[in-house]
Amino acid sequence: MGTKAQAERKLLCLFVLEGLLCSLALGSGTVYTSEPEVRIPENNAVKLSCTYSGFSSPRVEWKFDHGDTTRLVCYNSKITLPPSKPTVSIPSSATIGNRAVLICSEQDGSPPSTYTWYRDGIEMPANPKTSRAFSNSSYNLNPTTGELVFDPVSASDTGEYSCQAENGYGTAVKSNAVRMEAVELNVGAIVAAVLVTLILLGILIFGIWFAYSRGYFDRAKKGTSSKKVIYSQPSARSEGEFKQTSSFLV
């Protein structure tokens, strides 16, 4: 193999080191290495170089190529992992006619995982109208964020939901299944609550009216009124004459 190679879409820089290879995607350019063949004793450290030019913002990947199997080893300068078991946030019940949001996520996949949703073990298509099993549902599925949004929830959306995370290199991992029940709005309970409220309000109004008609409010006012004090001005008197000239009436 030469030290330089060119390709229009995908350029590979291969190293004879247990099948490791460097890949630059997105665009055309030149990729090369000063050491196209590296031999190193087992368990020793080694530094691999992969130089490129003609790329504006390339995506650099290191891969392990073994026969028909290719696995991503390093992406975005980080060692890659297979996805971990995703966690889900699924309501146990959702009211028919309302909006419901189901969330699936996992943090260990590198590159980031994409998500697939299942209901009762059947894969949910991006467009529910393309499948007879989901034609009565109305939802939006985002494979990048892991969100599954029902808007609105229908009676046919009852079932056990699970999601699967995969990043194209590690092993796809599935979450536990959680059941969601699509329930009707309890109109009877709402009507009963309104009636009870109206009855209590009627009793309160009747009590106030009865107390007022019996004069309880007037008596309470009289009992709390203060006594009045009347003071009369003294009358004119001549000198040497003394008598009571003022009085208080309580």
Side-chain angles (χ1 to χ4, degrees), residues 6 9 24 60 78-79 101-102 119 128 154 158 179 193 248:
Q6 294 183 344
R9 286 193 171 183
L24 281 83
V60 181
K78 296 179 181 179
I79 300 299
V101 180
L102 285 64
R119 188 182 74 192
S154 64
T158 292
R179 186 170 183 80
F248 289 89

Side-chain angles (χ1 to χ4, degrees), residues 15-51:
F15 294 85
V16 183
L17 181 69
E18 298 295 333
L20 272 177
L21 57 92
C22 172
S23 167
L24 281 83
L26 304 178
S28 60
T30 301
V31 59
Y32 57 92
T33 177
S34 58
E35 297 181 79
E37 184 172 326
V38 179
R39 298 183 183 274
I40 193 75
E42 188 177 4
N43 298 324
N44 283 18
V46 61
K47 183 177 181 179
L48 304 179
S49 63
C50 191
T51 309

